[in-house]
Amino acid sequence: MGGSDSSSSSSSSLGRAGTFSGQPGPSGAGTGAIVSSNATNGGSSGSAGANQGANAMFNPPLPASLLAEADEVLPVSLTTSNSSPGNTATNSNVGSQSDGAAGGNNNGNNNSIYEFIQSRSWDTSQRQTKEDWIDWMARFSSELLKYSASRSLAACHKLSQSYPLLAGELFNASFVCCWTQLDDKLKSELIRHLTWAIHYPQSPPEILQTVLNLAEFMEHDHQPLPIPIHILGQVAETCAAYAKALHYTEHEFKREPQSATESLISINNKLELSEAASGVLIYVQRIYEIKQKESWYEKLHLWDAALKVYEKKQKSKPDLANDIGLTLGRMRCLNALGEWEELQTLANDYWQVLQSTVHPDDGGGSVEGNINVQKQMALFAANASWHLHNFDLLGKYIGVIPDTNLEGSFYRAILEIHKNNFEQGEKYINSARSALDTELRALVGEGYTRAYKLILRAQHLTHLEQIIELKRFNHLRNASNIQQNLSSSTSSSLSSLSLSTASASLTPTAEYNSERTSVILDSWKQRLKGSRHEVSVWQDLLALNSMVITPHEDLDQWLKFASLCRRGSRFKLAERTLIRLMKPETVSGLISGGGGASLLGENQKVAFAWIEHLWAVGVDKQKIDIQIESYKYLESFTQKILSSAPTPVSNYLLPRCYLKLGSWLKALGSSGKNSRQGTNNNNNNMGYNAVSNTRQYGNNNNVNINEVLEYYKRVTQISPDWAKAWHAWALANYELTQPGDDSNSNNLGSKLKLDPHIIPSIQGFFKSMALSQAAAAADASGWRKKWDDNSTLQDVLRLLNITFNYAHFKVVEDAIYEGLNIVSIETWLQVIPQLIARIHIPVPAISNILTQLLIRLGEKHPQALVYPLAVAIKSPQPARVAAAYKVLESMSTNIVSQTLVDQAQLVSKELIRVAILWEELWHDAIDDAYVYWHKHRDVDKMLEILNPLNEKLLGYPLTLQTANKGASSGGNNNSNNNNNNAANGNTAPSFGPETNSEMDFDNQYGKDIKEAAQFVLKYHKSKKTSHMDEAWAVYSRIFRRLYKKLTDATDVDLALSDVSPRLVRARNLELAVPGTYNAYHDVIRISSFSMPVTLITSKQRPKRLTIFGSNGKAYTFLLKGHEDLRQDERVMQVFGLINSKLTSDRKTLGGGNEIGQGLKIQQYSIIPLSPVSGLIGYLLNHITLHDLICNYRDSQKIAIKAEFNAMRNMAPSYLLLSVIQKVEVFKEGLKSTEGDDLEKIFWLKSPNSEVWLERRTNYTRSLATMSMVGYILGLGDRHLRNIMLDKGTGKITHIDFGDCFEVAIHRDKYPERIPFRLTRMLIKAMEVSGIEGNFRSTCERVMRVMHDNKESVMAVLEAFVHDPLINWRLLTPSEVDGHLSPQSERHREEEKEQKVVVGSVTTKSRRTIEDLQDFSQSCEGEPVVHKRAEAAIRRVRAKLDGTDFSPRGRGLPIVRLTVEQQVESLIEQATSHENLCQLYVGWCPFW
């Protein structure tokens, strides 16, 4: 690869040698002819007088076309210089003395650059071989460093003499330092030499890569290297730097989309970004209406479509029947599709045509041209011959493939091994490995995915060596058999001693051969298992296996391959594979229409696979008749197994047959149904109607549900240890207990009567989980790795749902207790929030189950319970507090647990103290109390807010009793005593300041607070309003001072010793670091707390603190007050389930494009500490998109509010405009900027193109993933402060999940009518095709996974919306207004007039939140909350069914969209200017 001087290397891609062939000489260099690269290999020696001619010969100038292209980017002086690579000697004295080349500011710099110019180290004269070019680059790098204008860089020159790599590492920086000192003439000369260096045929890849890195570096430095972009793109593609090539080609595409489209598609495919390539095609067709070329289908890997186009074109035009270009296109498609028979026939037909016909278009009229075509054709034909085991034809085709070629050596090795010429085969294997080495070295540095195909070929070579080993074993075995036969027939003259000796010498070898054979065959199975689950990968490996093992001997692997083809929608290949495994009479029967009867005599595994294949074809083509036929075949096949003698195979297949019968019958019953229909009594609806003992297929599907349940029940009876069978049985029964989508009942009535399917579902779920856990525990690798809690989360939540609704029945209670005894206690760790949320349920049976379960958890995993229970005991509901203390008391019987409880309460209390400092407490309390007094004259409500703080500071409440007792003086003395106690670190006082921070507050505001308290107490005695007014005059003064202090503050570090000295003393605790406890790993305990606590300036004033763990690591958290984090905690549960589904789906798992995309939602720990505070795992190396964009605009001197300012200038009264007028103003605002800020940030913040591409791809896919998940969840409030970017990976992370289930859509003001955020700045940061490509395809993949797992998702979300601690968030003030007291209604009216606006959205005030919480837990509120919860669940189910865009209303038809249609509709909504222009301006819809 660039390392040889032979003529063959000059014909590399781009034709770098031919580019300069026959071009005129440079100006002033005479008219000497420029020779081809073949001529450059000689004539380098000669007299000094011949140097000029030699220079012109070895270093021809750039061609006129290239110079013309350079005119576009070079200044005039750079393109008119006479200096050239071939004429540098005559200009060696041109320097800065006359022309001012050295533009330095001091004499030292001038002298350095002058010496650099005199050295002419950039001169490419006399450079021919690879070694010459490497020496040139080494000298150039060293001279740049030596004469650098930067003293720091120049000082490194001496070190670089000892460590030569240093000059290369600093090449970019030293080049820029010298570049800025040169004048235009010298820059022109330098560029000419660099351009020649990257175009010279023998220039090694290292030189090309160095120049490309330099161009990239200078582009980041805002002074791009003046080499045309398309040249850099071509060079990048030549040296396989495809990420760089993509960057430059995208720039070309933006200027000339027609000319760059094909290159862009090709490069994306080389980067394994097939979705991006498809997006480019869709984009250009939609935007530019460019006519599609046939070859584009190939580049997009749409092989079926490409094959049809090629065949149609050849058939439609007889003159193209023998067109080699079209024929080669057909061959490429057939090769990719694995259509070996058709490919071989096509190759045979055209092979003779090539030998007898000359095709000017392909070979320029030469025989050599046809030979080149034959070489291309031979590669495809040889591949087909190998897979078909037609080795005679294989020998014919490889004759024209050079044996130095990787594929030529590979196929020759296969042929020689087939002929048992093992030594020759090993020779070709070594030859292929040598050829592979060069290519692999170039690609492996760009990542495993890029180099995967070559790595796979290297694996094939090892496979061939093992085949040789096996075949040699067979030869030895055959030789042994022959010798033994000869021994038995030999006359008695052969002594028995010699026979026994011979036999003894063969026995150990035979044993070794047998053992070695088993090892090799096992390794082949593992190789298949560990390789990508792609059809082409498995096809090649199985073809190698079949050289020594027939498909019937390797039946299981070939059946897995057929299944792989079926899952990949390669139905034709799956069919051919299965037919290959069938008996001839079975195939004849199928062809003649024998159907199911023909399969009864076939191998049972093959027959079962064929029936599965037939069903899959029916589902894919949406043909119910094929599905019905498959079902009937399976029924007959099952009866055949039952009537036959049992075998291990039949015992394995029978339960799977019944499981398929149940699931297929259920699918047949639900097909054609747009909604579930209710049934009565025991025949509850499961997506089909119940008709006693009858079954009708087709459009009027009526299925006996008892038959479905009977199939599932038989599976559990036949295979009682199969977890999947019990799960299917449980889920089928559970679904029958759920109301239909059209049910408007609150499901409360169902609790009065026990559904007969409840007990089977309980038993099934428990049995399924117990068996799964047992199987994982028995696995040799350990069940900690294999057992995934998220995989059973939905089943555990279903069991909890049954418990909450039916455990008051004795039989259900007994079944639950029985189930609890057979599953691991760790099963319930994942649902601790749900358990504690219902801990105070008034039904004794249910309460006892929950309490006993929590007590068992506390005994074995106290670390998992201490934080949640610490929150529960702070609840305002006495029942919850009492239940939580009951569990804590049971834990306290153990000394270790008691220590944990004490430490948890201490840490929780102190963290809450730090989260909400006294300044914040008093500021908010005075603000809330002000409304109650000044607006409503409600003293009781006012004091209800202020008294807890007065008691804490003064030691007494402001009540009439306190006024009568005269407690103020005593309180003052106690306060002083408490101050002394706190200062001395004594036991915590009951009131008064306890920390330095609180004492400072007391010193600043204590006197005023006491003064106000005295006025309030006087009011109690006199009832004079003047006294209360005087109190509020003082409170107002306090509020103004607090407001100024809080709003003027910036990010500052607080000393932990000032805000919580107890945390400073808390060291080496038994308590685990919050959020780190894992039942299957060692406990990470709290070692200490960091001294500085950073206060972050924002409305909520969160604090950042670090906890040091016992493992030596630091864990950083965001400590938030004034916010209930319990809903965010539940959202993380939902994300965990969805991540488990994404990782278990082949198309969304992994990092490679073909097998998946590694899609995953970023999770982080959330630990509620109280109903109004908690810890959030701090996302290191993350930044909000808002801060990222603001920082960029500030650095580029762009107005941060440029779009908003343009809108305001055009329409000062924007909010009063109609929607149509807003759209016009909004569009004008968009025109004020390009909106490419985020796109440029990705490029400027990435060190190179490879990192840039990886980050951009991660960004696009993570944005798409979270967009779909956020839509299903109904997530709102997606302003740019709630979306963060991982600065390392580029992945998107969302935060703040306070608005879920489309609450933001129902706001009275500024409702969010968009499904997710997809503004123009986010779109422009994707590929040049925008949403077409990775974004759309990822959206469709994720949405399809959600649809396929909708029941699991629904189970989690149902538990979410029915959680009594968080379901109040579903309410809106308008839904509660009619149920509030007149006083509360006045509060609501006031809030409608003055909303609390934070950054971008209208939020609920604390009074509103309290009202909603109180109302949701009241008798009046429960039905309202339940109604909203049911509506939310119906809405989510509609999204997962694809009916979310159906017209709403009774009698209207239900429209079910495909995933593609649903995603398209969502994107239209998200990008609609009509929707965006109505959003709150702080949401920044124009970004």
Side-chain angles (χ1 to χ4, degrees), residues 807-935:
H808 55 281
F809 291 103
K810 178 63 176 174
V811 63
V812 175
E813 182 183 7
D814 293 341
I816 291 173
Y817 276 118
E818 182 180 350
L820 291 175
N821 292 327
I822 66 173
V823 297
S824 164
I825 190 62
E826 287 77 17
T827 305
W828 307 96
L829 289 173
Q830 57 191 324
V831 293
I832 285 177
Q834 283 79 11
L835 294 175
I836 293 182
R838 305 291 186 100
I839 195 175
H840 62 296
I841 199 165
V843 182
I846 302 174
S847 178
N848 290 336
I849 291 174
L850 297 181
T851 303
Q852 292 302 316
L853 188 54
L854 288 170
I855 289 174
R856 286 180 57 193
L857 278 170
E859 292 173 354
K860 191 169 183 181
H861 301 284
Q863 297 276 13
L865 273 183
V866 286
Y867 286 115
L869 288 174
V871 180
I873 61 176
K874 299 180 182 69
S875 172
Q877 301 177 46
R880 280 182 56 76
V881 175
Y885 270 117
K886 183 177 180 180
V887 179
L888 285 174
E889 288 172 1
S890 68
M891 293 173 59
S892 299
T893 58
N894 183 291
I895 297 177
V896 175
S897 297
Q898 177 62 50
T899 302
L900 285 178
V901 171
D902 294 341
Q903 291 179 353
Q905 291 181 339
L906 168 67
V907 170
S908 176
K909 177 182 177 181
E910 292 303 308
L911 287 176
I912 294 171
R913 183 197 301 276
V914 177
I916 312 175
L917 300 176
W918 275 16
E919 288 89 347
E920 301 162 31
L921 283 172
W922 277 94
H923 173 274
D924 294 344
I926 293 174
D927 188 27
D928 288 344
Y930 175 85
V931 175
Y932 285 103
W933 170 250
H934 282 274
K935 298 292 182 181

Side-chain angles (χ1 to χ4, degrees), residues 374-646:
Q374 274 190 320
K375 289 180 181 179
Q376 297 179 53
M377 186 178 293
L379 289 173
F380 306 129
N383 200 26
S385 301
W386 165 43
H387 282 87
L388 294 174
H389 285 207
N390 195 332
F391 293 100
D392 292 335
L393 284 178
L394 177 60
K396 169 186 172 182
Y397 293 128
I398 64 176
V400 299
I401 305 175
D403 57 2
T404 57
N405 181 285
L406 170 61
E407 300 303 317
S409 299
F410 176 72
Y411 290 125
R412 282 180 172 83
I414 290 175
L415 184 60
E416 295 301 331
I417 294 172
H418 171 72
K419 295 177 179 179
N420 295 328
N421 297 330
F422 302 135
E423 290 76 10
Q424 194 67 18
E426 289 172 338
K427 173 186 173 183
Y428 284 121
I429 290 174
N430 292 332
S431 176
R433 195 167 275 135
S434 298
L436 178 68
D437 179 64
T438 303
E439 298 183 39
L440 191 56
R441 283 175 184 271
L443 285 180
V444 74
E446 297 189 26
Y448 178 78
T449 302
R450 287 287 323 283
Y452 184 76
K453 291 183 179 179
L454 292 179
I455 293 174
L456 197 63
R457 187 59 88 195
Q459 197 176 61
H460 293 165
L461 298 178
T462 302
H463 211 104
L464 287 175
E465 290 175 330
Q466 293 175 331
I467 290 173
I468 291 175
E469 191 175 358
L470 288 180
K471 297 194 83 171
R472 280 177 171 157
F473 292 163
N474 289 336
H475 279 203
L476 287 175
R477 188 182 301 112
N478 293 337
S480 175
N481 292 337
I482 292 172
Q483 186 174 3
Q484 290 177 1
N485 291 335
L486 288 174
S487 300
S488 62
S489 60
T490 303
S491 61
S492 58
S493 60
L494 186 61
S495 67
S496 59
L497 179 61
S498 62
L499 282 173
S500 62
T501 304
S503 300
S505 64
L506 286 171
T507 300
T509 304
E511 291 178 355
Y512 169 78
N513 291 350
S514 176
E515 182 180 350
R516 178 60 182 161
T517 299
S518 299
V519 170
I520 291 175
L521 295 181
D522 287 342
S523 71
W524 289 1
K525 292 180 181 178
Q526 293 301 318
R527 189 168 293 157
L528 277 169
K529 184 178 179 181
S531 63
R532 285 184 180 178
H533 284 204
E534 297 176 14
V535 171
S536 59
V537 173
W538 277 54
Q539 201 168 23
D540 286 348
L541 289 173
L542 289 175
L544 289 170
N545 290 358
S546 63
M547 294 180 68
V548 289
I549 310 173
T550 65
H552 290 89
E553 294 173 331
D554 199 18
L555 183 63
D556 289 342
Q557 303 302 326
W558 282 90
L559 289 176
K560 288 179 182 178
F561 174 67
S563 176
L564 182 62
C565 295
R566 186 174 67 246
R567 293 198 303 269
S569 300
R570 300 282 294 276
F571 296 110
K572 290 178 64 177
L573 185 55
E575 180 179 325
R576 286 202 312 274
T577 301
L578 292 174
I579 288 177
R580 184 179 181 183
L581 299 173
M582 288 179 179
K583 300 174 182 177
E585 54 269 25
T586 304
V587 178
S588 301
L590 291 174
I591 294 175
S592 61
S598 305
L599 294 172
L600 298 181
E602 184 53 66
N603 178 288
Q604 290 180 342
K605 287 186 177 181
V606 177
F608 184 71
W610 177 263
I611 296 172
E612 283 186 306
H613 165 72
L614 194 62
W615 172 270
V617 172
V619 172
D620 182 72
K621 296 182 178 180
Q622 297 183 346
K623 290 189 176 181
I624 191 69
D625 54 335
I626 297 179
Q627 297 178 54
I628 294 172
E629 183 183 13
S630 306
Y631 179 82
K632 291 180 179 178
Y633 285 173
L634 188 57
E635 279 186 318
S636 301
F637 179 72
T638 305
Q639 293 301 319
K640 174 67 175 178
I641 293 179
L642 289 172
S643 61
S644 304

